[in-house]
Amino acid sequence: MDTTPLRRYLLINPNTNPLTTQRLQDVLQPQVPPGVQLLVQTARFGAPYIACEASHAVAAHACLDVWTTQRGTPEQPLDGVLIGCFGDPGLFALREVSGCPVTGLAEASFIQAASHGPFAIVTGGERWKPMLQRLANSLGYGAQLRHIETVAPTGAALQADPDMAIRCLTQACQQAAQSGVAAIILGGAGLAGYARLLQAHCPLPLIDSAQAGWEVLLQQKAPAAPTSRDGFYAPWVGLPPAFSQVPAQCHG
């Protein structure tokens, strides 16, 4: 009998919409290999759709909140965390404290898209444009991100109306393809699975941000000597008990 322990990965949906969580799970669960367990959790608080700076900031807190309750034990820790939002709220904070690989839909998509050359993004919600440009700059992909095509409907609206989404996103992808790039990222948790449907209508490779997130996370290895392992640098006041129950290994 195989006694190899399961590798456990946590997928966090940083918004409060369970339909988005279900979509991510429906797309990614068939890609989970044997010996791997995908734990899926929805944020307890925040916005049903992350569409602005404020909702993005709250979503980072919500990601940490989920991690504190789902991080496992020293005997059975998490092997990786995937932030299920194309904007990666809480990426750097989770990477600092978790001691395991952490990536988000955007970072993972940048990694895959950059392997083709300069790339573009197609996503829903016009306020995402400066936010994604800033994220790309902070992750070292600012020069390779040449174009961001936002469509008027938010990701939530696109998710709610698949027929409208296909029409709208097809036009946006065709527009982005004219910007001199080598690949296009279709970004958004609510758009998971759409790249496959739209590829026939786009002359360039389309990257599904959810699939990219899962593929990149599985390829990453835990840090050889993490600076922290399940630890916060600061004590907390007024936060849920789970925050204080995390070992304070890094308190100064």
Side-chain angles (χ1 to χ4, degrees), residues 25-216:
Q25 188 166 21
D26 289 345
V27 170
L28 297 183
Q29 191 63 49
Q31 301 179 39
V32 175
V36 171
Q37 181 181 22
L38 179 61
L39 310 171
V40 182
Q41 291 290 322
T42 306
R44 290 192 309 114
F45 56 84
Y49 176 69
I50 301 165
C52 62
E53 296 282 7
S55 56
H56 186 270
V58 172
H61 178 188
C63 281
L64 286 170
D65 176 71
V66 170
W67 175 79
T68 61
T69 62
Q70 301 294 323
R71 62 190 178 85
T73 65
E75 296 76 24
Q76 195 177 29
L78 292 173
D79 292 281
V81 178
L82 177 59
I83 303 169
C85 168
F86 192 72
D88 303 358
L91 174 66
F92 301 110
L94 283 167
R95 190 168 283 163
E96 178 184 74
V97 303
S98 67
C100 68
V102 179
T103 192
L105 303 194
E107 180 189 49
S109 298
F110 296 164
I111 291 170
Q112 289 196 349
S115 68
H116 295 276
F119 60 88
I121 293 171
V122 169
T123 193
E126 59 185 15
R127 292 194 181 191
W128 272 112
K129 187 170 184 177
M131 296 165 64
L132 290 171
Q133 186 64 62
R134 184 181 66 229
L135 179 61
N137 292 343
S138 70
L139 293 170
Y141 293 95
Q144 289 163 288
L145 174 55
R146 301 290 178 81
H147 181 78
I148 301 176
E149 187 79 18
T150 60
V151 297
T154 64
L158 293 169
Q159 181 179 334
D161 190 341
D163 291 337
M164 180 271 289
I166 289 175
R167 293 193 304 270
C168 185
L169 293 170
T170 295
Q171 183 177 4
C173 287
Q174 292 172 347
Q175 185 70 25
Q178 300 175 24
S179 60
V181 296
I184 299 171
I185 298 169
L186 195 59
L191 302 183
Y194 274 92
R196 175 180 56 83
L197 301 175
L198 299 177
Q199 184 61 77
H201 305 288
C202 182
L204 298 177
L206 281 181
I207 293 171
D208 184 301
S209 63
Q211 293 180 344
W214 182 236
E215 291 166 2
V216 168

Side-chain angles (χ1 to χ4, degrees), residues 13 15-23 42 48 159:
N13 172 18
N15 69 51
T16 60
N17 186 348
L19 294 178
T20 303
T21 308
Q22 188 62 53
R23 185 168 191 88
T42 306
Q159 181 179 334

